[in-house]
Amino acid sequence: MATIIYPPTINFSWLYQRPQQLLTCMAKKNYKVYYCNKSYDSNYKKGITQIKNNFYLVNGVDLSYIKSNETPILWISYPPNYRYIKSYVKKYIIFDSIDFPSNEFNEWISNFRELQREANIIFASSSKLYEINKNNNSHTFLLPNGADFEHFNKARKIFFKKPTDIPVGKPVIGYFGALATWLDWDLIDYISLKHPEYNFLFIGPNLNVSQLPERENIFYLGEKNYNILPYYLQYFDVCIIPFKITPMTEGCDPIKLYEYMSAGKAVVSMNLPEVKRYDEIYVANNKEEFANMLTYAINDVNDNKRKMLMKIAKSNSWEKRAEYADRIIRYYIL
């Protein structure tokens, strides 16, 4: 059984996203995974705890507590964690290139080139990152983001009573994810003004956005546990990805896109390169188009389109991503 070590990047219980999803699936592929929390999480015991089959959480202690009789695979998604490479005389390196190092992720440029050069394998989450990395490492493979399909597919229909903090009386335009500077808050303010007949619902932690738009039809519900997100998604009439178009977002593959599609929900997004691959998504080039497409999306609800969205999401599940990663690892490393 090969051992994967994921150095401290984000806590396992915070914003359940690509590292947690993909590495959990790799544990199901018969890898022993050690996931290291960035900081101590009081919800778990200090030390190393098995929380899933083949999946171990390293909490409040450093990597020296991990004992392995074989050459470990260091799975690094945060380039400054390159420093942990020195902790091992023998190791394999996988660079999971998930964000373009610019704008809000500017600090990720540190050791980006070194990781590119020394990685045995590079997985790139978007076409832009694939092109950037393959020019420096021939063992670069496109591994887009995905969805926990079964988890979010529950929201394809009303399966549970409405959470009490969801506003009533109007169609719901919904978003979940970080409330961050890469969201286009001017766009959000515009569409909420343009469409007083809709309620705009935002779920997620505020990552240092100093001033959020305030209107009677905008509701900020804060961060919700990953397990209950489908309880909210089931009541979304349309889902949105209102990102700014920047060098950073042009290199992102929004996980929420696949999660929304898992429930067969109509999606309106700004024209991100990875989103434009899907004809079933409403893609806007400016705020006026975005506002108009919200109405189109609400009125264009049919079973065939919902089934197509769910089919796309299922074919882009994290399980599918792990199957591909496993094949690459076994060919080039194991």
Side-chain angles (χ1 to χ4, degrees):
M1 180 183 294
T3 297
I4 293 175
I5 297 174
Y6 186 68
T9 306
I10 58 172
N11 278 13
F12 180 76
S13 60
W14 188 74
L15 286 181
Y16 206 70
Q17 49 196 298
R18 179 180 174 109
Q20 298 98 315
Q21 296 275 18
L22 193 49
L23 292 173
T24 297
C25 289
M26 295 305 291
K28 296 176 184 177
K29 297 292 179 188
N30 208 32
Y31 292 83
K32 182 181 287 187
V33 176
Y34 290 93
Y35 186 104
C36 303
N37 270 348
K38 183 177 182 180
S39 59
Y40 174 69
D41 184 343
S42 60
N43 293 309
Y44 297 94
K45 293 190 301 184
K46 185 176 181 178
I48 299 177
T49 305
Q50 183 174 356
I51 60 173
K52 298 175 185 286
N53 189 35
N54 293 335
F55 193 100
Y56 297 83
L57 183 66
V58 182
N59 186 43
V61 296
D62 59 38
L63 272 66
S64 65
Y65 280 73
I66 301 172
K67 305 300 179 185
S68 176
N69 294 324
E70 57 191 355
T71 303
I73 300 170
L74 295 185
W75 187 296
I76 298 175
S77 61
Y78 177 56
N81 277 345
Y82 174 81
R83 65 184 184 275
Y84 288 105
I85 290 175
K86 299 177 182 178
S87 302
Y88 298 89
V89 176
K90 294 181 64 179
K91 69 276 179 180
Y92 299 111
I93 302 168
I94 291 178
F95 176 25
D96 194 19
S97 184
I98 61 177
D99 282 299
F100 185 68
S102 68
N103 302 98
E104 293 89 346
F105 288 85
N106 192 55
E107 66 178 272
W108 291 44
I109 197 65
S110 175
N111 299 124
F112 189 86
R113 299 298 182 196
E114 289 85 350
L115 265 179
Q116 282 183 321
R117 183 178 63 250
E118 296 190 34
N120 299 95
I121 294 170
I122 298 178
F123 291 130
S125 65
S126 70
S127 299
K128 179 175 181 175
L129 289 169
Y130 172 75
E131 295 296 333
I132 289 169
N133 285 292
K134 79 169 186 177
N135 290 330
N136 294 284
N137 189 317
S138 61
H139 291 169
T140 297
F141 304 89
L142 181 62
L143 189 70
N145 286 322
D148 184 347
F149 178 78
E150 298 299 332
H151 182 63
F152 289 99
N153 183 244
K154 296 192 292 283
R156 70 190 183 278
K157 60 183 180 180
I158 302 300
F159 69 95
F160 201 76
K161 63 183 180 182
K162 181 180 288 189
T164 57
D165 52 353
I166 292 182
V168 298
K170 299 178 181 180
V172 172
I173 310 298
Y175 169 93
F176 55 65
L179 307 188
T181 53
W182 55 81
L183 270 67
D184 190 334
W185 294 104
D186 289 336
L187 166 65
I188 292 166
D189 187 53
Y190 176 83
I191 59 177
S192 62
L193 174 64
K194 195 76 172 177
H195 287 295
E197 73 275 23
Y198 304 149
N199 283 326
F200 292 81
L201 198 66
F202 292 86
I203 295 172
N206 184 343
L207 302 187
N208 299 316
V209 178
S210 59
Q211 189 169 359
L212 298 171
E214 294 184 9
R215 295 194 183 278
E216 290 184 355
N217 61 335
I218 300 181
F219 299 84
Y220 301 103
L221 304 190
E223 186 174 358
K224 302 293 182 183
N225 187 283
Y226 176 80
N227 292 328
I228 68 170
L229 285 179
Y231 291 72
Y232 288 84
L233 181 58
Q234 64 182 329
Y235 289 99
F236 287 7
D237 293 284
V238 172
C239 301
I240 57 174
I241 306 178
F243 285 8
K244 296 176 183 175
I245 305 301
T246 67
M248 186 274 285
T249 61
E250 286 177 334
C252 82
D253 184 29
I255 294 174
K256 58 183 57 59
L257 171 65
Y258 303 103
E259 294 170 342
Y260 294 160
M261 288 196 293
S262 294
K265 299 292 183 178
V267 182
V268 179
S269 173
M270 287 302 290
N271 60 343
L272 302 169
E274 298 304 310
V275 174
K276 289 191 291 186
R277 294 185 292 130
Y278 301 106
D279 294 336
E280 295 78 8
I281 305 303
Y282 293 93
V283 178
N285 294 299
N286 52 56
K287 63 183 182 181
E288 292 81 9
E289 285 189 9
F290 201 105
N292 291 334
M293 286 179 175
L294 290 176
T295 301
Y296 296 149
I298 280 185
N299 293 326
D300 185 26
V301 177
N302 63 76
D303 288 341
N304 287 337
K305 185 163 187 177
R306 288 169 56 84
K307 288 177 182 177
M308 180 57 69
L309 290 166
M310 289 186 283
K311 182 179 179 180
I312 293 171
K314 191 172 185 178
S315 68
N316 287 278
S317 68
W318 288 117
E319 287 80 8
K320 297 287 187 184
R321 300 295 188 243
E323 287 175 9
Y324 181 65
D326 178 48
R327 290 200 301 271
I328 298 300
I329 292 169
R330 294 191 184 280
Y331 186 84
Y332 285 98
I333 291 180
L334 302 181

